[in-house]
Amino acid sequence: MQRHSSLDDAADLAAVAALLQIGAEIGVDRLLDSGDTFSAAELARIADLPQAGVDDYLAALVAAGLVVGTEAPGRFQAAEDYPDRRYAAGYLSWAMSANGPFLANAREFLADRDAAARVHRRNGRRVAVSSRWIGERAFYPPIVDRVVSAGASHVADLGAGAGGLLVRLLGQDPARTGVALDSSGAACAAAREAAAAAGVDDRLQVVERTVQSLADDPGPVEGANAVLACFVMHDIVADASVAKAVLGACRDALAPGGFMAVADAVSYAPDPVERRFSALFTYLHASFMSVTLPSERHWLDTFQAAGFSKTECVPLGVPGGRLFVADR
Amino acid sequence: MQRHSSLDDAADLAAVAALLQIGAEIGVDRLLDSGDTFSAAELARIADLPQAGVDDYLAALVAAGLVVGTEAPGRFQAAEDYPDRRYAAGYLSWAMSANGPFLANAREFLADRDAAARVHRRNGRRVAVSSRWIGERAFYPPIVDRVVSAGASHVADLGAGAGGLLVRLLGQDPARTGVALDSSGAACAAAREAAAAAGVDDRLQVVERTVQSLADDPGPVEGANAVLACFVMHDIVADASVAKAVLGACRDALAPGGFMAVADAVSYAPDPVERRFSALFTYLHASFMSVTLPSERHWLDTFQAAGFSKTECVPLGVPGGRLFVADR
């Protein structure tokens, strides 16, 4: 085999992403992600599918080196490099699978964005799974570091989705409490389940509300030491008055010494390492989702206008991503 | 920016693949692939879309470094590294977009493959575009080398698709003639158009026929110095009697000194460089398309059983791909 390494990478990445996407579709992504050992029968039971079909899928995962046998006969587990490969696959899954309805209907979107957007919607689960694969490596760790080093005992997460970030934070400190806010009932249900499974449900309050509603009623974030928001604020900051109202309400509700940590994206980051993915991210938001991403300067000005005393901006692992830490 | 290089690759590759996929969907892939310069107005005219939508797409391509401005004001062209990036994107496009209906409905396929296959079909154009992006780099060149070095003057291509390989071969030698055989009327029409555009239509015969039909009537391959087949023979070789009849008819129809060049895939190639993509390719064919890929040994035995005197097997750039050159 005499192939160039980065081109090998493309074939490898494509294969891994497609195989993991199949795992997500049949509902075995959580088991594979857990690193736990499993038998072929357990895999079929979790997928709720006939054994023969799941056996063939398992054989493909083993042939691809994504899953390996263990010392216990008939028991398997994800390979050691699985978390790295899953993170890389997250970008492909987000770009090609979660955004599949945009790509497949690009002609309609370029002809009439709003009409196309009413018809062709993304699958929420595919968006959530790919975002989790990217986020667990690219933006959860720096946020967790901030919360832990600040000793924040009460934490709210806006657009908390399935609650992964809060479950992780509550699991780390038995005295920490949290509020998961999300406008999706399905996401709230998933967050409740995840909290129960992790045994932290007595310390997590789940609130089905929009982020925008905090402008009128900041109750859910009242007294928080940290208010987090991962890739949800860009829906709000385009409108200066809405941004000022929502972020201002969060600031006023924070406990003394509290902070907001907002992981989000800037428009068209020019850095050579970031420019390609940032271009796709910016373009898809603008031309397919009617979301105009702010510049880094615009983000910083928005926090200042909302009354925050000081805002720090650091790059995230995801190209074009930034973590804004705004002090009350 | 402090990110690991192979992970950068994943975000870059995903972004490039999604942006090029949009180009293919709106019909500007041929223009971008050509390397010719173009204006924004020409891009909109070829796409047959409103200028504003195409302008935003062009801006994203420029931001991503896939398209660059030229010395002529208002004129653009694909960046120098575009062919490399398009080749890499081909793997993602094939795995995630062309096979999108398989991935999105994996649960149905694993429950009942044949029922799912009747409902969820791939888009032929997406399969063809991604195969072309991979094939132009990974298997056209070694086949062209064989044809040229053998001085083959009359060449047949089985499953010729849009005729790209034959158009290239006829363009290289004004004395060379060709036969493009494909069972799809749309592919045959595309081959006729491509031949006319390249000015080689007077030397290319297009035949709308299945490969299997050659067993009873080898007329289209009669007297060929070379019979080519790229990733179509795996549909046939699973049945030994069909394989013997079709390949035997091709062998008997070849001119003295003639050969078959078959680019195709082996089942689950174990080489570390090949195993991942080969696993996906093998698994999707078996569990979603009812095609069982042969081993390398099985391929060689099949050519021998059909009467070929000697068959050589060399690896192709696509993982798990092999070029079988079988001498009459």
Side-chain angles (χ1 to χ4, degrees), chain A residues 211-213 215 235-249 302:
Chain A
V211 176
Q212 286 87 332
S213 74
D235 291 337
I236 288 172
V237 290
D239 184 318
S241 65
V242 173
K244 191 174 177 181
V246 172
L247 291 176
T302 302

Side-chain angles (χ1 to χ4, degrees), chain B residues 33-95:
Chain B
D33 292 0
S34 71
D36 295 342
T37 70
F38 58 86
S39 68
E42 285 164 4
L43 199 65
R45 195 160 57 243
I46 287 171
D48 190 22
L49 280 169
Q51 191 67 50
V54 172
D55 282 349
D56 291 341
Y57 174 60
L58 179 57
L61 291 177
V62 171
L66 290 167
V67 163
V68 293
T70 65
E71 288 182 4
R75 295 197 71 78
F76 302 85
Q77 72 186 142
E80 209 174 334
D81 61 0
Y82 184 91
D84 292 337
R85 296 191 178 277
R86 182 187 60 209
Y87 171 59
Y91 288 104
L92 281 66
S93 176
W94 184 83

Side-chain angles (χ1 to χ4, degrees), chain A residues 26 46 82 118 126 133 179 196 203 212-213 232 252 261 265 270 293 311 314-315 318:
Chain A
I26 65 171
I46 287 172
Y82 183 91
R118 280 191 292 272
R126 284 178 197 139
W133 287 347
V179 177
R203 293 182 281 128
Q212 286 87 332
S213 74
V232 291
D252 296 344
L293 295 177
T311 304
V314 291
V318 56

Side-chain angles (χ1 to χ4, degrees), chain A:
Chain A
M1 302 298 101
Q2 34 161 344
R3 291 185 287 113
H4 183 275
S5 72
S6 82
L7 303 182
D8 295 349
D9 280 355
D12 268 16
L13 281 166
V16 169
L19 288 169
L20 295 196
Q21 189 69 39
I22 291 171
E25 299 295 332
I26 65 171
V28 300
D29 51 311
R30 291 278 185 188
L31 174 62
L32 292 172
D33 292 359
S34 72
D36 294 342
T37 70
F38 58 86
S39 68
E42 286 164 5
L43 199 65
R45 194 159 58 243
I46 287 172
D48 191 23
L49 280 169
Q51 191 66 51
V54 172
D55 282 348
D56 291 340
Y57 174 61
L58 179 57
L61 291 177
V62 171
L66 291 166
V67 163
V68 293
T70 65
E71 288 181 5
R75 294 197 72 78
F76 302 86
Q77 72 186 143
E80 208 174 332
D81 61 359
Y82 183 91
D84 292 336
R85 294 191 179 277
R86 182 186 60 211
Y87 170 59
Y91 287 103
L92 280 65
S93 176
W94 184 83
M96 306 292 282
S97 182
N99 292 309
F102 294 162
L103 304 188
N105 302 288
R107 169 164 289 279
E108 289 180 52
F109 278 90
L110 267 66
D112 184 340
R113 180 189 64 190
D114 297 338
R118 280 191 292 272
V119 181
H120 305 293
R121 295 174 184 279
R122 299 192 298 176
N123 174 306
R125 194 177 129 70
R126 284 178 197 139
V127 175
V129 168
S130 59
S131 300
R132 174 163 59 84
W133 287 347
I134 298 172
E136 284 185 350
R137 172 79 49 104
F139 44 87
Y140 284 14
I143 293 175
V144 169
D145 283 352
R146 296 281 175 159
V147 169
V148 169
S149 67
S153 58
H154 185 58
V155 181
D157 188 9
L158 312 183
L165 183 54
L166 278 170
V167 166
R168 188 188 289 203
L169 285 167
L170 300 194
Q172 281 185 334
D173 181 347
R176 189 171 286 140
T177 53
V179 177
L181 182 141
D182 204 289
S183 62
S184 153
C188 289
R192 282 191 194 93
E193 278 173 40
V200 300
D201 48 323
D202 56 325
R203 293 182 281 128
L204 182 69
Q205 184 193 355
V206 178
V207 181
E208 188 176 331
R209 285 260 303 267
T210 65
V211 176
Q212 286 87 332
S213 74
L214 294 172
D216 295 323
D217 173 11
V221 291
E222 204 67 62
N225 305 103
V227 174
L228 318 177
C230 293
F231 291 87
V232 291
M233 281 298 170
H234 57 237
D235 291 337
I236 288 172
V237 290
D239 184 318
S241 65
V242 173
K244 191 174 177 181
V246 172
L247 291 176
C250 288
R251 196 212 79 93
D252 296 344
L254 279 168
F259 65 93
M260 275 196 87
V262 174
D264 219 301
V266 298
S267 178
Y268 283 120
D271 185 297
V273 181
E274 300 192 288
R275 66 186 292 189
R276 293 179 211 285
F277 191 76
S278 178
L280 177 71
F281 196 89
T282 306
Y283 173 62
L284 287 182
H285 277 80
S287 292
F288 295 74
M289 295 182 261
S290 304
V291 172
T292 305
L293 295 177
S295 65
E296 193 169 303
R297 184 71 260 157
H298 185 171
W299 276 109
L300 292 169
D301 290 346
T302 302
F303 285 106
Q304 187 174 32
F308 286 93
S309 62
K310 178 172 73 73
T311 304
E312 185 188 353
C313 172
V314 291
L316 288 172
V318 56
R322 300 289 182 272
L323 179 61
F324 298 95
V325 182
D327 291 341
R328 181 169 187 276

